[in-house]
Amino acid sequence: METTWIRTNKLFFKINPSLKFVMISSLFLVYLFVHNLNTMIWASLFFLILYSSVTGLSGKWSFGFVLFTLVVSLFSASAMILFGKGSHVLYHQYLIMITQESLARGILLGLRTFTFSLVGMLFATTTLPVPFFYSLMQQLKVPVRFAYGCLAAFRMIPMMAEELTHIRQAMIVRGMTKQKGIKAYYARLNHYLLTMLAQSIRRAQRTAIAMEAKRFSMKESRTFYYQIGWSRNDLVFVLIIVCTVAMSFLCANSFPLTPFTNVLDH
Amino acid sequence: MNERKKSLKLNLTDILVTIVIALVFGLVFRLMGPVYDLVQPLGLHLDALLYGIWFIAAPFAALLIQKPGVAFLAETAAALAEMLFAGSGGVINLYYGVAQGLLSEGIFAAWRYKRFSLGVASLSAFAAMVASIAIDAVYSYLPLLAGWNLTLYLVFRVLGAILLSGLLPFVLVKSLEKTGVTQSLRPVTKEDYDVLK
């Protein structure tokens, strides 16, 4: 894949990918049980600052990404805002009933989704697939067959993209794209899906046979082309994440912006 | 009997095929993400109908390869791929993927990997849905939604799961069988030996 729109010289690229993966995933468990709206407001603010200062994406892309994520995160909370349970009614018409409690809960939900998306993007935009899977094998002891399988699969993406273009061109040549109706649509979908899947399966099978022919994964200990180790950057990374999380809890205590400290009460 | 057991172990071909399929579905999830996000704002849970597509990797892989472990591997790898492609939701996907994969796998295991019918596939999709609801109950405060709204949500989610991850993978695998590509993937059965007699 072409990655020229990513700047790979930033600090977060130099961190051990396994450590980054474990830390980022454990954040889910930290914020899953936060029911304090203030904590979530501060957390999303701090992670937004963190994301914008460490992301590998260029500014314009990054801004668009964040804006889109914020909007859809609030969309995802719309059901809770419009139809949630609560007693202090703010607005009521037909089925729509917005209460103070449901509004607070909805905003917390939206911000939580926003924070997790940001953290996910933080990981995705600063991690390259090859070092990531090498690190999984070396630090987290993921079986070599699975990790190399993932690497081989990633290599197939450009081929799949090319194949997709071929199918589309073939359909245009045969005039299939101009046919209308549900039946034609179904036929087109079938052509795309089945061709892509069948070809992917065949390609994966050929690759596996080729790998085994070269004595891949025959159980002895093996060496790695890339050695992924540890550095001082890893410590800095852990400190940054711990500080960000701690700040979100501390600020919520010292500077509560809203009176909703537990959105489950109603 | 020993022969049969041995053939149920995953070899490199199974793993690679599963992962490649998971990657394809990971891409599909990534592309469906924005669509899913954009049908959410009405609060009427139209998104829950689409939600079913996120369970497809496990039943599809299991129906295709018919060996233990592939359902879990496929769903987890697809979730990981979605996370690496910066899908919306980010780290949440991984937890959902692992939970869905586990329950999905459980259904195929309950039939000892001997039945791969439409019913079992739908049940597996349903199990994955149960996993997603269980996490959602904690994550999105489901019990605190108005009653009718919650019911709508559950009904849509079940419908979506059975249609998109029970029926769809079944139809897809049936059509793939016609192309002949599945023959070399599946474990050798007794019927195959009988043909040789």
Side-chain angles (χ1 to χ4, degrees), chain A residues 21 24-25 28 35 72 76 78-80 83 85 105 108-109 112-113 116-117 124 145-146 153 194 205 208 212, chain B residues 10 12-13 16 19 23 37 40-41 43 45 83 89 91 94-95 139-141 143-146 148-149 175 181 184:
Chain A
F21 180 65
I24 294 273
S25 328
F28 178 78
H35 306 303
V72 298
S76 72
S78 58
M80 184 51 83
F83 312 114
K85 286 177 184 162
R105 224 179 290 131
L108 181 132
L109 273 183
R112 191 191 272 167
T113 309
F116 287 146
S117 301
R145 305 198 295 171
F146 295 108
L194 288 182
Q205 218 170 358
E212 274 181 338
Chain B
L10 290 182
L12 188 63
T13 311
L16 251 179
I19 288 175
L23 194 74
D37 289 334
Q40 281 179 331
H45 300 302
M83 184 176 163
V91 282
L94 194 67
Y95 286 86
Y139 181 85
S140 337
Y141 304 133
L144 294 175
L145 277 176
W148 66 271
N149 202 262
S175 337
V181 76
S184 47

Side-chain angles (χ1 to χ4, degrees), chain B residues 13-82:
Chain B
T13 311
D14 302 324
I15 293 173
L16 251 179
V17 170
T18 312
I19 288 175
V20 169
I21 287 167
L23 194 74
V24 173
F25 284 124
L27 276 174
V28 171
F29 295 166
R30 177 67 186 91
L31 297 176
M32 289 288 288
V35 181
Y36 171 84
D37 289 334
L38 290 177
V39 294
Q40 281 179 331
L42 297 173
L44 292 175
H45 300 302
L46 293 176
D47 50 299
L49 273 175
L50 276 180
Y51 204 105
I53 196 79
W54 268 266
F55 311 137
I56 195 174
F60 183 86
L63 290 176
L64 188 73
I65 298 175
Q66 309 194 340
K67 284 185 182 178
V70 283
F72 175 67
L73 178 63
E75 193 72 35
T76 310
L80 187 65
E82 195 190 359

Side-chain angles (χ1 to χ4, degrees), chain A residues 202-217:
Chain A
R202 288 200 183 101
R203 195 178 297 119
Q205 218 170 358
R206 278 202 304 272
T207 312
I209 291 168
M211 283 163 89
E212 274 181 338
K214 292 194 171 184
R215 313 287 295 160
F216 172 77
S217 84

